[in-house]
Amino acid sequence: MVPSPHILVIAGKSNSGKTTLMEKLIAELTTRGIAVGSVKHAHDGFEIDQKGKDSWRHRKAGAAATLVATDTRVAMVKDDPRPAKAKMLDYLKDMDLILAEGFKAQPLPKIEIFRKASPYPAPLFLEDPNLVAFITDTDIRPHVPVFGPEDISPIADFIIANFVPRGADESEHSQEGR
């Protein structure tokens, strides 16, 4: 049985660089053979289906789930009231690692990014027991490993050592369906 992937949240205040950090980490981890699933937190009411398109019409007619599929991609819109963690682990169970952007309130391991240019006076998670690393260009040094915003390779090393199952770059996750 393949183990469930770990979920690691990239958190920070608005415009702190979360998406840029996610992009760089996904690229770095992928080049190392890690199958990375990404999740972006959205607020309720978010609608991916476009009004008038067939899949939207199917949902409006009452379909509980709609899957749009091509030869190489799928997109699903499904009502799912379960907690975020359960959804991530269910839908991305074939990944080696799940990186989630946002999800500030979830009790999941977090890497916070906080920058000098931030209009906010302080980071969010310095006292959070789920904080596992801190990315900053300031002199703030919490009780967890600290990296600079451009330290992508060392951050990836940290993530692999702590959140990716041993041998994931050779696992079924990394090889199946790709």
Side-chain angles (χ1 to χ4, degrees):
M1 181 174 179
V2 178
S4 293
H6 288 281
I7 301 170
L8 183 57
V9 172
I10 304 299
K13 297 198 177 177
S14 185
N15 296 316
S16 61
K18 296 182 300 290
T19 301
T20 300
L21 179 62
M22 287 272 294
E23 288 175 313
K24 291 178 179 180
L25 286 174
I26 290 167
E28 178 70 20
L29 292 164
T30 299
T31 63
R32 296 186 191 197
I34 307 300
V36 179
S38 71
V39 180
K40 172 65 175 110
H41 183 258
H43 299 285
D44 282 331
F46 169 75
E47 187 65 58
I48 193 169
D49 265 346
Q50 294 180 22
K51 186 175 181 175
K53 292 292 186 182
D54 293 348
S55 59
W56 179 87
R57 292 172 61 189
H58 297 174
R59 296 275 300 143
K60 294 305 172 196
T66 303
L67 187 69
V68 178
T70 71
D71 289 344
T72 58
R73 293 188 179 169
V74 297
M76 181 184 343
V77 177
K78 180 179 181 181
D79 294 333
D80 189 340
R82 295 177 299 162
K85 181 178 178 180
K87 288 182 268 210
M88 287 186 237
L89 290 173
D90 187 20
Y91 297 119
L92 297 173
K93 63 186 166 209
D94 60 336
M95 298 291 110
D96 296 320
L97 173 70
I98 299 169
L99 289 180
E101 182 179 335
F103 298 96
K104 295 175 190 173
Q106 292 292 316
L108 294 166
K110 291 176 179 63
I111 293 179
E112 180 173 8
I113 182 165
F114 181 79
R115 305 189 67 134
K116 276 183 205 174
S118 173
Y120 305 101
L124 292 169
F125 300 105
L126 294 182
E127 303 303 320
D128 187 324
N130 295 303
L131 184 68
V132 298
F134 191 66
I135 313 289
T136 191
D137 57 359
T138 70
D139 59 359
I140 298 170
R141 295 294 178 260
H143 62 285
V144 296
V146 177
F147 301 94
E150 299 304 320
D151 293 339
I152 301 306
S153 184
I155 297 167
D157 292 342
F158 172 81
I159 291 170
I160 290 169
N162 293 282
F163 298 97
V164 176
R166 299 267 184 242
D169 56 343
E170 301 166 4
S171 75
E172 292 177 31
H173 287 169
S174 297
Q175 302 305 317
E176 281 183 10
R178 283 180 202 67

